[in-house]
Amino acid sequence: MRIGLFATCLGDTLFPEAVKSTAVLLARLGHEVVFPPEQTCCGQMHVNTGYQREPVPLVRNFAEQFGDPSIDAVVMPSGSCAGSVRHQHEIVAERYGDAALRAGVATVKTKTYELSEFLVDVLDVTEVGAYFPHRVTYHPTCHSLRMLRVGEKPLKLLRAVDAIDLVELPEADSCCGFGGTFAVKNAETSTAMLQDKMRNIATTEAAVCTAGDSSCLMHIGGGLSRIKSGTRTLHLAQILSSTRTSPYVLTEAVR
Amino acid sequence: MSSTFLGMPATPPRSPYGTGNLRGDRKFPAAAHDELRNEQLRRNLGKATHTIRAKRLNVTGELPDWEQLRDAGSAIKTDTMNRLPELLEQLEQQVTERGGTVHWARDGVEANEIVTRLVRATGSTEVIKVKSMATQEIGLNEHLESAGITPYETDLAELIVQLAHDKPSHILVPAIHRNRDEIRQIFLKEIPGVDPRLDNVPAHLAAAARAYLREKFMTTKVAVSGANFGIAETGTLSVVESEGNGRMCLTLPDTLITVMGIEKVLPRYQDLEVFLQLLPRSSTGERMNPYTSMWTGVTPGDGPQDFHLVLLDNGRTAALADRIGREALNCIRCSACLNVCPVYERAGGHAYGSTYPGPIGAVLTPQLAGMHAAKDDPNSSLPYASSLCGACFDACPVKIDIPSLLVELRHQHTEESGTTAEKLAMKAAAGVMKRPKLFTAAQKAAELGRVLGGRDGKISHLPPPFNGWSDSRDTAAPPKQSFRSWLASDEGAATMRAAADEYDRNQQEEEK
Ligand code: SF4
């Protein structure tokens, strides 16, 4: 398959390791990974904060970058960005776009996937040849869980990882408190949610808390770092791309 | 301005916003700041919401047709809103034909005046009340008191709230923020003639309330109730409750005055089949609620002989006019969305400042009472009081897409706000990100931003408005290289080539 990789603005700029892992993983599975170089941002933060005019050019750029019919699928290591492309671009295009934009959005939407659903649903693989000899707990991010309905898919992938010690996270499906600008506008309520999430993570005694979205991981990881927790965060893609020949080296310091 | 008629159709006048307890005195983050520090409140709320969540999941999970029921509920409500005027007229006609009197109240002020006039006409200076959100919304109790009429709440939780001179913090469990020790204190202080040895055993507390209320039931001639449903087809009203105190209010007095929000109407009697399954399972986590009372007009010799129905608009028509926002009117006030909401669980109901707290409150309150962006209205903070996690949407028995409604209201708010610092920042961000070259340049600048990080590569202090974030979270300093520059580098190209080669090697091995 010819896969268009969307790095997401956050992944591209602040969390490139998760995107590298995604690219490597897909190539290792035998697919051609293309990176439309003019891609930037899906506009999710704008829409979620209440701005729909401002992201019109972003929505347009996304549709143009990935509209190319030779791209079979658009894959991204982020549940919330995939959710934005599939659910919000339409709203923006309906309200402030033209016919061309609406058509472009409709085309791209149908071939856009978050990484775990692409692997399990489209490629039909759960065993990706990964090796990760550490204790891991998984936080299902809200948009993956409830907007995309990825359900058990990430867990299926994780269970198939060689040597992994996967432990269930208590109250896994409750929100970590990120919510984009929510964590800034309602920082204290967000912190209260984060504290409960970290308390639950602590009970698992996992070395790694993983998820399919760098934004939630940035939030959880930022909190864990502040309390000097023994658990660190790592994107799902980084676990799936770790192999026996080139294993991920777990370090304490970088979060 | 020229007054030449240009042939443009005038926009019809906007229906007025509601009045009453639909606006707090400060914004959500400020109110939450205080509530979050109330350890007792957080413990009570955490315990109560977790218990009720588990109960709800048990009784909704056991029904094979739960999803179909939700679809049916949603469809009936959507149909109702689409033809609300005709259904309300049908309801009026049916109630009138069966001996009741219907009154139309544009807003809370009118509704309060109507009820007060009706109570005065009976000569009574006391009324008993059964749980009614609508009368809480319009502040009826305060209004009656100012007119020399004493209202007695008879629902146990409402009674606790009333005796404590407090405000409800939950739709269904108004005293969810109180535990039994606090309730004992309230009863000892406020119930006349209560046994001073009263302890905190729930059954004893209930008995104390019962003794107090029985006397009110037997002596008060006028009752004010709310309604869960009003059936247009037959003129039947219905109240769903757990304690039976409502049943007494609805049957014992001579005069019954029911205040019902106009969105509570249902087209057919048969529709109750759907809602009497959806409501108890979603709200209290029970298969069936203990008491379902239904009455149609006046039945000679049985029950109240004088029945009045006050149909309350109070901003509902304004909400109905909003193509997207009107979905919030489908709400049946089951409170499932509150119980699953992580924000409500921490901040509590009072932080919303309105009769309607939680996720549905955050969309309904601004719609009923407006959010005057320019005036720094507390209501304008409500649509932002959510992480958009979507738990409410999943729990809602009538499938109201609350997260999308919140995003919609945020949009309305930013549109009405004029130019703000945030809007400029959003414009600037989009301006950079729509030009890939600028974006790449900005990434380079971010890479330089590594200097912001401490020796451990972490940023632990950020300036406003991000200081709330950095109070409890470290931020990793930007990496040396963005993904795109890595991919364009020799290292990136080599890594991708190696990955593809690995696939080829594996293929060859498999073939062998
Ligand atoms: S919005 Fe839905 S879940 Fe919330 S109270 Fe209304 S009906 Fe119940």
Side-chain angles (χ1 to χ4, degrees):
Chain A
M1 267 190 151
R2 196 156 190 270
I3 299 168
L5 175 64
F6 179 53
T8 79
C9 63
L10 189 78
D12 190 2
T13 312
L14 292 182
F15 300 97
E17 295 305 322
V19 193
K20 289 182 203 174
S21 295
T22 307
V24 167
L25 178 63
L26 294 171
R28 232 182 237 157
L29 292 170
H31 300 281
E32 184 192 352
V33 179
V34 292
F35 183 82
E38 310 256 282
Q39 62 172 281
T40 57
C41 164
C42 68
Q44 179 194 182
M45 177 189 71
H46 289 87
V47 178
N48 281 347
T49 313
Y51 297 89
Q52 295 187 12
R53 291 177 197 274
E54 292 74 6
V56 171
L58 303 180
V59 171
R60 190 183 304 279
N61 185 45
F62 187 92
E64 283 169 3
Q65 291 298 306
F66 293 99
D68 178 352
S70 79
I71 293 179
D72 301 312
V74 186
V75 177
M76 57 201 72
S78 163
S80 59
C81 297
S84 175
V85 173
R86 295 223 295 247
H87 297 276
Q88 297 182 331
H89 282 196
E90 207 167 29
I91 298 171
V92 170
E94 276 292 321
R95 191 170 258 159
Y96 296 118
D98 46 33
L101 184 59
R102 284 193 284 273
V105 161
T107 311
V108 181
K109 173 185 160 170
T110 53
K111 59 174 181 179
T112 291
Y113 303 93
E114 176 272 338
L115 177 63
S116 74
E117 54 174 7
F118 179 71
L119 293 173
V120 177
D121 287 350
V122 182
L123 300 185
D124 196 21
V125 290
T126 45
E127 154 79 73
V128 294
Y131 166 77
F132 196 78
H134 306 281
R135 176 173 279 208
V136 174
T137 194
Y138 170 73
H139 166 65
T141 63
C142 299
H143 286 169
S144 298
L145 195 66
R146 287 180 275 261
M147 212 175 200
L148 300 180
R149 306 275 169 205
V150 302
E152 284 275 292
K153 289 160 207 167
L155 285 168
K156 278 189 188 153
L157 292 161
L158 283 170
R159 281 188 205 115
V161 171
D162 192 14
I164 197 169
D165 174 15
L166 188 64
V167 280
E168 197 183 320
L169 177 64
E171 294 181 45
D173 62 358
S174 54
C175 177
C176 74
F178 179 57
T181 45
F182 171 77
V184 175
K185 288 179 193 260
N186 282 285
E188 291 178 280
T189 306
S190 164
T191 297
M193 291 157 70
L194 175 61
Q195 280 164 349
D196 289 341
K197 181 57 70 184
M198 294 195 296
R199 195 169 32 74
N200 282 317
I201 291 173
T203 65
T204 66
E205 295 180 4
V208 166
C209 171
T210 190
D213 212 312
S214 292
S215 56
C216 309
L217 288 172
M218 170 174 79
H219 184 238
I220 298 172
L224 291 173
S225 161
R226 178 61 57 87
I227 62 166
K228 310 217 180 313
S229 154
T231 310
R232 52 159 304 176
T233 49
L234 199 62
H235 195 283
L236 176 68
Q238 288 170 274
I239 294 179
L240 297 180
S241 70
S242 165
T243 58
R244 257 182 207 280
T245 39
S246 55
Y248 184 88
V249 183
L250 204 57
T251 50
E252 273 292 319
V254 199
R255 283 195 181 105
Chain B
M1 273 248 288
S2 148
S3 61
T4 318
F5 179 62
L6 295 172
M8 294 280 282
T11 344
R14 196 185 161 89
S15 181
Y17 285 122
T19 59
N21 297 321
L22 291 171
R23 178 168 281 109
D25 43 21
R26 47 197 184 145
K27 293 190 172 182
F28 187 88
H33 172 86
D34 290 345
E35 302 289 320
L36 284 165
R37 270 158 191 71
N38 185 341
E39 293 287 328
Q40 179 79 59
L41 171 77
R42 270 181 72 184
R43 258 198 309 278
N44 293 356
L45 266 178
K47 189 154 180 278
T49 52
H50 279 82
T51 314
I52 204 159
R53 268 179 219 174
K55 277 177 80 180
R56 187 183 65 82
L57 286 177
N58 274 341
V59 295
T60 56
E62 72 184 10
L63 279 192
D65 61 346
W66 181 248
E67 288 308 312
Q68 284 95 313
L69 274 172
R70 290 176 77 204
D71 286 333
S74 167
I76 294 168
K77 276 296 192 176
T78 304
D79 168 53
T80 303
M81 294 314 145
N82 288 343
R83 49 196 192 96
L84 195 56
E86 74 180 66
L87 290 172
L88 286 169
E89 284 178 11
Q90 192 186 1
L91 177 69
E92 176 185 36
Q93 191 199 345
Q94 290 300 321
V95 170
T96 312
E97 272 176 22
R98 283 153 214 256
T101 311
V102 175
H103 311 260
W104 298 81
R106 225 170 321 210
D107 57 19
V109 176
E110 266 188 25
N112 285 335
E113 282 168 5
I114 293 168
V115 176
T116 309
R117 180 163 45 77
L118 292 171
V119 177
R120 279 223 175 101
T122 68
S124 176
T125 54
E126 297 186 325
V127 297
I128 44 176
K129 287 187 67 205
V130 52
K131 186 150 69 173
S132 151
M133 306 254 17
T135 62
Q136 172 65 34
E137 170 189 326
I138 60 179
L140 177 65
N141 285 4
E142 294 85 333
H143 192 268
L144 288 175
E145 279 164 12
S146 72
I149 299 164
T150 313
Y152 294 101
E153 292 292 351
T154 67
D155 176 272
L156 183 54
E158 297 261 351
L159 174 70
I160 295 166
V161 169
Q162 189 185 32
L163 289 176
H165 313 287
D166 199 357
K167 281 185 173 175
S169 66
H170 188 276
I171 298 180
L172 205 90
V173 199
I176 197 168
H177 57 295
R178 299 285 190 183
N179 66 16
R180 44 169 136 143
D181 295 318
E182 294 174 283
I183 294 168
R184 172 174 170 266
Q185 293 302 334
I186 295 165
F187 281 8
L188 284 175
K189 189 155 158 260
E190 300 287 341
I191 295 185
V194 75
D195 183 348
R197 288 162 305 171
L198 180 68
D199 59 21
N200 70 356
V201 176
H204 300 166
L205 293 170
R210 174 194 296 242
Y212 171 70
L213 287 173
R214 274 298 144 100
E215 194 240 302
K216 300 292 171 212
F217 287 133
M218 304 313 287
T219 55
T220 311
K221 297 284 172 224
V222 185
V224 175
S225 88
N228 289 98
F229 309 106
I231 311 295
E233 179 186 51
T234 57
T236 306
L237 277 296
S238 176
V239 162
V240 169
E241 44 130 9
S242 299
E243 297 166 359
N245 291 344
R247 172 72 53 83
M248 296 216 240
C249 277
L250 297 166
T251 52
L252 289 172
D254 298 337
T255 302
L256 173 61
I257 305 163
T258 298
V259 182
M260 178 184 116
I262 53 173
E263 83 284 20
K264 291 284 160 94
V265 69
L266 289 177
R268 294 157 299 259
Y269 195 81
Q270 202 195 342
D271 298 329
L272 287 174
E273 176 203 342
V274 172
F275 291 99
L276 291 181
Q277 292 186 75
L278 287 176
L279 184 53
R281 285 179 197 259
S282 303
S283 57
T284 46
E286 294 169 302
R287 296 194 176 93
M288 199 179 173
N289 48 287
Y291 291 87
T292 301
S293 302
M294 291 194 242
W295 70 100
T296 309
V298 170
T299 308
D302 182 15
Q305 296 299 295
D306 193 14
F307 170 56
H308 297 270
L309 175 64
V310 182
L311 291 172
L312 175 72
D313 186 321
N314 209 34
R316 285 156 177 80
T317 303
L320 191 68
D322 184 334
R323 186 174 60 90
I324 298 173
R326 66 158 59 171
E327 199 186 333
L329 291 176
N330 293 1
C331 172
I332 58 171
R333 310 279 189 274
C334 73
S335 73
C337 59
L338 279 64
N339 298 331
V340 299
C341 176
V343 173
Y344 176 87
E345 180 189 337
R346 274 80 183 189
H350 291 156
Y352 296 80
S354 158
T355 299
Y356 304 108
I360 187 61
V363 292
L364 198 56
T365 302
Q367 290 204 76
L368 293 180
M371 43 173 181
H372 308 291
K375 292 192 206 135
D376 223 23
D377 182 351
N379 277 358
S380 67
S381 68
L382 292 180
Y384 299 91
S386 164
S387 64
L388 305 177
C389 83
C392 47
F393 185 16
D394 273 11
C396 179
V398 289
K399 292 197 167 174
I400 301 174
D401 184 354
I402 297 176
S404 294
L405 292 183
L406 289 166
V407 168
E408 172 64 21
L409 286 176
R410 290 176 186 188
H411 179 55
Q412 288 177 14
H413 175 241
T414 62
E415 285 287 294
E416 289 161 12
S417 296
T419 307
T420 61
E422 183 185 271
K423 190 177 282 180
L424 293 175
M426 287 287 168
K427 269 209 173 90
V432 169
M433 292 196 276
K434 78 179 177 197
R435 293 184 194 85
K437 283 214 180 70
L438 271 184
F439 180 64
T440 312
Q443 283 182 322
K444 290 263 181 280
E447 288 161 19
L448 296 177
R450 285 176 68 73
V451 293
L452 288 175
R455 202 176 296 164
D456 52 1
K458 289 175 201 162
I459 303 168
S460 47
H461 295 288
L462 287 168
F466 302 107
N467 50 335
W469 163 275
S470 61
D471 278 348
S472 55
R473 306 154 188 93
D474 290 334
T475 308
K480 278 196 226 68
Q481 210 178 21
S482 68
F483 171 76
R484 70 182 63 203
S485 33
W486 172 82
L487 191 66
S489 71
D490 292 344
E491 186 201 331
T495 311
M496 291 306 289
R497 220 178 305 114
D501 290 347
E502 199 179 323
Y503 172 76
D504 292 339
R505 247 194 338 272
N506 288 344
Q507 287 303 100
Q508 284 160 9
E509 264 171 40
E510 263 177 40
E511 273 162 32
K512 265 188 241 157

